[in-house]
Amino acid sequence: MGLSKKHFRIAKILASLFTETQTEKEKEEYEEWEKEQEGNRDLAKYVLDQENYIRFERTASRFDQQAGWEVFKDHLAIKSSDIPGKTKRVPDLQNASSDKRQVQLKYFMRYAAVGIILIACGIFYWIGQPVKEKQDAVFAYQIEAGTTGARLIMADGKVVDIVKDQTFLIKETDGTVIVTDSTGIDYVAHEVKDEKEIRNTMQTLTGMEYTLTLSDGTKVYLNAESKIDFPVSFKGVQRVVELSGEAYFEVAKDAEHPFIVKTLDLSVKVLGTSFNLRAYEDEKAVTTTLAEGKVQVFDGQKFKDIIPGEQVVYEKATKSMLVSQVEIARYTSWRDGKFIFRNERLEDIMMYLARWYNVQYKFMDDKVKDIRIGAKLNRYNNMNPIIDMLKMNSTISVSLVDNVYYISSK
């Protein structure tokens, strides 16, 4: 989209509101523009916010101020008669009244504000350059995919940051040997002392994933922004771990020692099985998806048993559990290096992707959050194919300002 008289008219009106120099006609124009499209009111509120305006002003300083001003003058056709108290002849400001100087200053500020408002609307990027060339420049910014890594917190409080392909061998206080290599971290019970259960915590930060093998042979694949608390060596009748975030479990069979995963809202009990558990604390639901075996989900009051191909969704607000048949790959594909979305809300998709890509984004209106998207993507590619996909959607507009993606409905 190139610059048009309409873009400058809108910027001029918004600038007049920001500097409180609007005329009655401009008030009427603003009200008409606000009604033209559902998101216009939200856009105006956003660009007129004082803190946002200051940030846009910093962005404006990166451009050629004089060249930009010449463009604004040409499009806005600023005339001396537009400014109250201003004649074709430059007035003697020393002899002008204080009130008149203030009015003139406000109007000069108003036109200076136009350029900044244009940046806020994502229009300034096209000034003086072909549309396609400039759009390519804006979206040349790349957000790389996440990587292998985690943070291990040991029983004595020691913190070990684990990076990709790192190798080390350490011992816990009970004698358990902790080994890490390119495949993940492995807990090996070796000459374990007969004492109380010692627990560790493994945490993946934004843009991280990691594989953990517990002392019983259970494999845990941690997704980004997830945390698992577990014993370095299982003792007692039950094998209990605690999870916040998302993990795929391949539980070692042991009929005499049930494996239990506890979350803030519920617990999942298994004997030997493979399942995905998504329990992010900032999401509205906890989802348990079963690939193999059998699991029992307990929310503190009722139980739900599921078989392979089924899923239990626990809604936190209503404290209800719903069992349904699902396509397993949709919920486990992240472990195989893919993202699969089937008719899902854009807000939910972006929240999920942000954990892996560490991307910053902002929705400019509520309507765009509910747009449904379907896609199959490579998890280890950068985020550009996803952004390209959104740009191709006729109902979505995406712009990039200061490394933040602004997403709105068209």
Side-chain angles (χ1 to χ4, degrees):
M1 177 182 68
L3 286 170
S4 67
K5 289 183 179 180
K6 182 177 180 180
H7 295 141
F8 281 90
R9 177 179 66 83
I10 293 168
K12 183 179 178 182
I13 293 171
L14 292 176
S16 72
L17 293 173
F18 186 82
T19 55
E20 298 182 355
T21 58
Q22 70 272 19
T23 63
E24 287 299 321
K25 182 180 179 181
E26 286 170 334
K27 285 182 181 178
E28 293 175 2
E29 284 184 283
Y30 170 76
E31 291 173 358
E32 291 176 6
W33 172 75
E34 194 180 73
K35 295 174 183 177
E36 285 177 10
Q37 191 168 319
E38 187 176 340
N40 286 351
R41 180 194 292 268
D42 292 332
L43 175 61
K45 183 178 179 181
Y46 175 73
V47 299
L48 296 179
D49 180 88
Q50 183 71 32
E51 291 184 3
N52 288 338
Y53 185 87
I54 293 171
R55 182 166 61 81
F56 296 136
E57 190 173 27
R58 288 199 299 269
T59 303
S61 67
R62 303 176 186 176
F63 297 89
D64 185 332
Q65 301 278 317
Q66 185 60 39
W69 176 247
E70 293 302 323
V71 175
F72 299 149
K73 284 200 299 183
D74 291 343
H75 280 78
L76 292 169
I78 298 174
K79 300 177 181 177
S80 58
S81 58
D82 289 338
I83 304 175
K86 179 109 172 142
T87 63
K88 291 183 180 180
R89 180 171 171 268
V90 177
D92 183 355
L93 294 180
Q94 289 183 341
N95 297 326
S97 69
S98 175
D99 289 343
K100 185 178 290 185
R101 283 201 303 269
Q102 289 179 1
V103 171
Q104 290 173 346
L105 180 61
K106 271 191 174 184
Y107 271 77
F108 280 117
M109 287 174 61
R110 166 177 173 168
Y111 288 114
V114 171
I116 299 170
I117 297 296
L118 286 170
I119 286 179
C121 299
I123 297 169
F124 193 100
Y125 290 107
W126 285 273
I127 291 179
Q129 294 196 34
V131 174
K132 187 178 187 306
E133 177 186 345
K134 199 60 183 177
Q135 282 180 325
D136 289 343
V138 172
F139 286 97
Y141 173 75
Q142 289 189 355
I143 295 180
E144 297 301 327
T147 187
T148 299
R151 175 169 292 168
L152 172 64
I153 304 171
M154 301 180 68
D156 60 1
K158 181 181 178 181
V159 177
V160 180
D161 285 327
I162 306 170
V163 298
K164 188 175 182 179
D165 296 330
Q166 180 185 21
T167 300
F168 64 72
L169 185 152
I170 54 179
K171 274 190 176 185
E172 255 294 0
T173 56
D174 70 344
T176 300
V177 177
I178 305 172
V179 183
T180 181
D181 56 25
S182 60
T183 62
I185 198 166
D186 195 350
Y187 280 73
V188 183
H190 180 66
E191 298 179 358
V192 177
K193 300 174 185 177
D194 185 18
E195 55 184 40
K196 67 177 182 179
E197 190 174 75
I198 294 176
R199 300 182 76 85
N200 280 184
T201 299
M202 182 70 73
Q203 180 179 13
T204 53
L205 307 181
T206 304
M208 290 183 179
E209 64 179 8
Y210 205 69
T211 303
L212 168 68
T213 302
L214 302 178
S215 62
D216 67 338
T218 293
K219 274 199 169 185
V220 183
Y221 301 84
L222 280 182
N223 205 346
E225 295 185 9
S226 300
K227 181 170 64 175
I228 185 170
D229 179 83
F230 57 94
V232 299
S233 180
F234 289 105
K235 302 180 186 296
V237 178
Q238 297 178 330
R239 297 172 287 167
V240 180
V241 301
E242 297 177 10
L243 175 73
S244 172
E246 183 170 26
Y248 185 88
F249 292 85
E250 293 178 354
V251 180
K253 293 183 179 180
D254 184 348
E256 296 181 1
H257 300 90
F259 191 93
I260 297 175
V261 184
K262 291 185 176 180
T263 73
L264 190 63
D265 301 284
L266 49 77
S267 62
V268 179
K269 180 180 178 180
V270 302
L271 294 178
T273 188
S274 299
F275 67 100
N276 194 81
L277 179 56
R278 180 168 166 176
Y280 287 106
E281 292 182 10
D282 60 352
E283 293 187 352
K284 298 177 181 179
V286 178
T287 306
T288 307
T289 309
L290 184 59
E292 296 177 11
K294 183 178 180 181
V295 303
Q296 184 178 78
V297 181
F298 179 55
D299 67 357
Q301 294 185 342
K302 52 187 175 297
F303 296 90
K304 290 289 184 182
D305 293 334
I306 58 173
I307 59 176
E310 290 186 336
Q311 180 184 82
V312 176
V313 177
Y314 173 81
E315 295 290 346
K316 297 178 184 179
T318 59
K319 296 184 178 181
S320 60
M321 287 196 289
L322 176 66
V323 177
S324 60
Q325 288 279 146
V326 296
E327 178 189 356
I328 298 296
R330 284 179 58 187
Y331 304 94
T332 63
S333 61
W334 65 269
R335 188 177 68 89
D336 299 317
K338 299 182 182 67
F339 287 118
I340 299 178
F341 303 115
R342 298 272 193 262
N343 194 34
E344 296 182 41
R345 296 176 65 250
L346 183 56
E347 182 181 28
D348 297 332
I349 291 175
M350 289 304 297
M351 180 184 294
Y352 196 60
L353 294 177
R355 301 185 194 280
W356 180 240
Y357 288 103
N358 195 18
V359 63
Q360 296 184 63
Y361 66 94
K362 184 177 180 64
F363 288 111
M364 302 303 293
D365 58 81
D366 289 334
K367 182 179 177 181
V368 72
K369 296 179 182 180
D370 291 321
I371 291 176
R372 298 279 172 166
I373 298 291
K376 184 176 181 179
L377 303 159
N378 187 326
R379 176 179 169 89
Y380 298 112
N381 283 346
N382 64 49
M383 198 175 176
N384 286 49
I386 299 172
I387 297 300
D388 290 340
M389 176 193 70
L390 296 180
K391 288 166 59 182
M392 291 172 62
N393 191 303
S394 61
T395 62
I396 300 172
S397 176
V398 183
S399 61
L400 177 65
V401 180
D402 286 347
N403 298 345
V404 179
Y405 285 103
Y406 292 90
I407 306 171
S408 61
S409 55
K410 289 183 179 178

